[in-house]
Amino acid sequence: MPGVPTGRGCDSCRKQKKKVCFSGPKHPKLDLPCIGHGQRRYKFKNETVDPTPPGRPVSKSLAKSLPHTVVAEPTRNLTNAISSLTSAFIHSISQDVDIKFQLPWNFGGFLHLVPTRLGRSAALDAAIDTLVAAHAQYCVGGLAPNRLVLTKYARALSVLRHDLDDAAKARSSESLCAVLVLSIAQLFVEPNRHDAITHTGGAAQIIRNRGFRNNSPDPFERSLILTIRGPVVFEALLTDKIQFSSREWKIFNAKADSTFLSGGEWYYCIAEIPDLIQRSKAALILYDPPSLHLLTLELETRSLLEDIKATIATQRVRLENYDPNSQPPELSGHMHAHHLRTLGMALATGIILNCILGGLEGTTNWVSQESSSWSEEIAHLSRIATKYQPLGSMAMILCLRLALLGAVLPSTKLEIEALLLDYETACMGCPASGVCADMMRTMRRFTLQDL
C-alpha cells in the first residue's frame, strides 16, 4: 500500500474545514494554536486496485495521471497449489538446513530467487515440485527414487518439452531455470548418470537461441546465467555435445561482478579449456604442417597453466589461514568446505592443462611430476572433506576422477580409487559403473588423441 500525500494544513483548520493561509503559533481567526501545520500527511491506497473496467486496456494518459497505482497486468497464477509448493520449496532451501544437504550452497544461490517466479511457468512449477520431492526423500536416506518422485520427474519432463515447443516460452528465464532445476533433480532421480548432465546441453541451446545476456538488469536472470555457466563448461569439457564458436565462448565466459563468484578464480581458467581443445583439434586436422598453429596454442596453454598455478597458491593460503572462529557458527562449515572445493577444482584444472600441453607437444609422457603432486593433494583434500558428505563435498567426485589422470604411483591410484568409491557410495548409494572406461576416454580427449 503506497502512501498518497494529502494537504499540509494544521489540525485545527482541518477540523473547522477552514482554508489555511497563515503559518504561526496561533490562528488569528479561530484563536486556536496551529498544531501540525506544514507536515506532510498520507493516506494509504491499495496498490492492487485497477481503476479501469475489466477487459479495458489502460491508456498512457491514464497511467501518467495515476502515478501511485500499479496498472501492470498480473503475471503470476497464485493458486493454493502454488502457495503450498512455494512454502515447501522455501523450507527445502532454508539456511537452517545442514550444509550436507543444503541446496543453494551446493547448487547455486539463484534458488533463493525462484519462489518469486513460481506460478508463471508450468515447466518451472513442475521442475520445482520434482526437486522438492526428490530432495526430501534424499535427506531421509532414500538414495533410490520412489514411484512418486519418478512420476513427478516424468511429468516435469513432459511439461518442459511442451513449453520448449513454444518459441516465446523457450526463450524465457523460467524455461532456462526449469532446465537447470531438472539437472539438479536428476542427480537425485538418476544418481548413476555420472557420464553427463543430460539437461545441460538443452540449457546451452536455450542460451544460444535467446542470446548471451551476461549483464541482464534482472537479478534473477543474472544469477541464473552465472550459475549455469559451470555445468555448461564441464559438459563441453568432457563431451562434444556443446559446440560454441570461439566468439560465443568469449561472450559466455565474460567476467562478471566479483560478488557472484567469490573465490572462483579457477573458473576463468577452466572456462577457456573447451574452446582451446576445439581449436587444438582443428589445428591438428586442418593444417599440414600444424607446427606454427600448435606453437601458438602451446603458448596459450602455458599462459593458462601459469595463471592456475597462481590461483592454486592463493587458494592454499586461504585454506591455511582459515579460522573457524572468524565466521559465525552457522557459516564456519560453509567457508571451510568452500576453500576445500575451490582448491580441489584449481588443482584438477592444472592437471587438465598439463594433459593438453602434453598433447600439443606430442609427448607420450604427458603426466608430469607436477600433476602427480597435485593428484596427491586432491586425495588429501578429499579425506578432509568427507565430513561434509554427501552434498557438501560432492564436487570432490569430479576432482578425484580427474586426479586419476595425473596419478603416477600405484599407491596413489589405489588411494584415489578408494576415496572415489567412498564418495560415490555416500552421494549416490552405489559406485558408478564404467569409471575406468570413462577415464580412458577423458585421457584421450585431453591429450588430443580422439581426433
Side-chain angles (χ1 to χ4, degrees):
M1 287 187 178
V4 180
T6 61
R8 295 177 181 268
C10 71
D11 293 338
S12 300
C13 298
R14 289 165 62 85
K15 288 180 181 179
Q16 297 292 330
K17 297 183 179 179
K18 300 293 184 181
K19 183 177 180 181
V20 180
C21 58
F22 176 81
S23 175
K26 197 171 183 179
H27 199 286
K29 294 182 180 180
L30 301 178
D31 196 27
L32 294 172
C34 289
I35 300 174
H37 179 81
Q39 294 181 1
R40 176 65 63 90
R41 297 173 178 82
Y42 297 88
K43 67 178 179 179
F44 292 91
K45 195 170 185 178
N46 193 339
E47 65 180 348
T48 60
V49 174
D50 191 344
T52 61
R56 183 175 178 180
V58 179
S59 65
K60 292 183 178 179
S61 59
L62 178 59
K64 290 180 179 179
S65 66
L66 299 170
H68 298 287
T69 304
V70 176
V71 296
E73 203 176 331
T75 57
R76 298 183 68 192
N77 182 21
L78 296 178
T79 63
N80 288 337
I82 294 300
S83 297
S84 299
L85 176 61
T86 302
S87 298
F89 181 61
I90 289 174
H91 177 73
S92 297
I93 62 175
S94 171
Q95 295 286 1
D96 296 332
V97 177
D98 193 285
I99 185 177
K100 298 178 180 180
F101 297 98
Q102 194 176 114
L103 288 173
W105 189 89
N106 292 291
F107 298 109
F110 79 98
L111 291 170
H112 288 299
L113 303 176
V114 170
T116 61
R117 300 290 174 134
L118 294 178
R120 298 185 180 188
S121 164
L124 180 57
D125 296 345
I128 290 296
D129 190 28
T130 302
L131 179 59
V132 169
H135 180 250
Q137 186 192 19
Y138 187 84
C139 289
V140 296
L143 297 180
N146 58 26
R147 181 179 299 180
L148 175 63
V149 173
L150 291 174
T151 301
K152 289 179 180 291
Y153 184 59
R155 177 181 174 274
L157 291 176
S158 177
V159 175
L160 176 61
R161 191 178 300 112
H162 179 270
D163 275 17
L164 292 180
D165 289 336
D166 185 310
K169 291 182 179 179
R171 290 192 297 269
S172 69
S173 299
E174 287 74 21
S175 293
L176 182 60
C177 184
V179 174
L180 182 55
V181 169
L182 282 178
S183 71
I184 299 171
Q186 187 183 25
L187 297 173
F188 306 125
V189 178
E190 300 178 283
N192 288 323
R193 291 295 299 272
H194 63 281
D195 53 340
I197 303 175
T198 57
H199 297 295
T200 307
Q205 190 60 44
I206 292 175
I207 291 172
R208 169 179 274 170
N209 292 341
R210 71 201 294 267
F212 297 90
R213 308 174 189 172
N214 290 348
N215 298 317
S216 171
D218 181 9
F220 172 74
E221 184 170 321
R222 195 163 60 244
S223 179
L224 183 64
I225 293 296
L226 287 169
T227 302
I228 209 168
R229 293 199 306 182
V232 168
V233 165
F234 282 112
E235 181 85 356
L237 193 66
L238 300 173
T239 72
D240 288 321
K241 293 181 180 179
I242 298 176
Q243 296 287 333
F244 286 169
S245 67
S246 295
R247 178 179 175 276
E248 288 173 331
W249 277 120
K250 185 176 182 180
I251 298 173
F252 183 66
N253 292 319
K255 289 193 176 183
D257 189 344
S258 59
T259 57
F260 286 94
L261 284 174
S262 177
E265 297 89 350
W266 61 271
Y267 169 81
Y268 293 112
C269 290
I270 202 170
E272 299 282 345
I273 296 179
D275 181 49
L276 178 63
I277 292 176
Q278 290 178 15
R279 290 184 287 115
S280 299
K281 289 181 178 180
L284 290 170
I285 295 172
L286 300 177
Y287 299 103
D288 187 24
S291 56
L292 180 60
H293 300 277
L294 291 182
L295 179 60
T296 302
L297 292 167
E298 182 182 331
L299 293 174
E300 183 178 342
T301 305
R302 290 186 180 279
S303 176
L304 286 173
L305 195 54
E306 291 303 315
D307 290 342
I308 201 63
K309 287 179 183 179
T311 299
I312 289 172
T314 300
Q315 293 301 133
R316 281 174 179 157
V317 171
R318 288 174 178 170
L319 181 59
E320 291 171 0
N321 294 338
Y322 164 72
D323 180 11
N325 297 322
S326 64
Q327 300 290 334
E330 64 274 13
L331 294 179
S332 60
H334 294 67
M335 291 306 301
H336 188 222
H338 172 72
H339 291 319
L340 292 170
R341 179 172 62 181
T342 52
L343 178 54
M345 293 306 304
L347 293 167
T349 303
I351 293 173
I352 296 172
L353 288 170
N354 269 332
C355 293
I356 296 173
L357 188 60
L360 290 171
E361 293 176 343
T363 59
T364 55
N365 186 22
W366 52 268
V367 179
S368 67
Q369 184 63 36
E370 191 173 49
S371 291
S372 178
S373 174
W374 288 342
S375 295
E376 294 174 2
E377 189 169 355
I378 289 176
H380 172 69
L381 296 174
S382 300
R383 287 194 298 272
I384 299 174
T386 52
K387 61 182 178 180
Y388 300 117
Q389 291 177 348
L391 298 185
S393 55
M394 182 178 279
M396 286 299 175
I397 294 179
L398 178 59
C399 295
L400 286 168
R401 288 175 181 166
L402 293 173
L404 283 174
L405 301 180
V408 175
L409 297 176
S411 59
T412 303
K413 290 184 178 180
L414 288 174
E415 182 184 10
I416 293 174
E417 289 172 354
L419 284 166
L420 189 56
L421 176 64
D422 174 68
Y423 269 87
E424 289 175 342
T425 302
C427 295
M428 301 180 293
C430 61
S433 59
V435 174
C436 293
D438 288 340
M439 287 301 98
M440 289 300 297
R441 285 194 296 268
T442 304
M443 181 183 69
R444 289 181 57 81
R445 179 174 179 80
F446 292 156
T447 55
L448 310 177
Q449 297 178 27
D450 63 336
L451 301 177

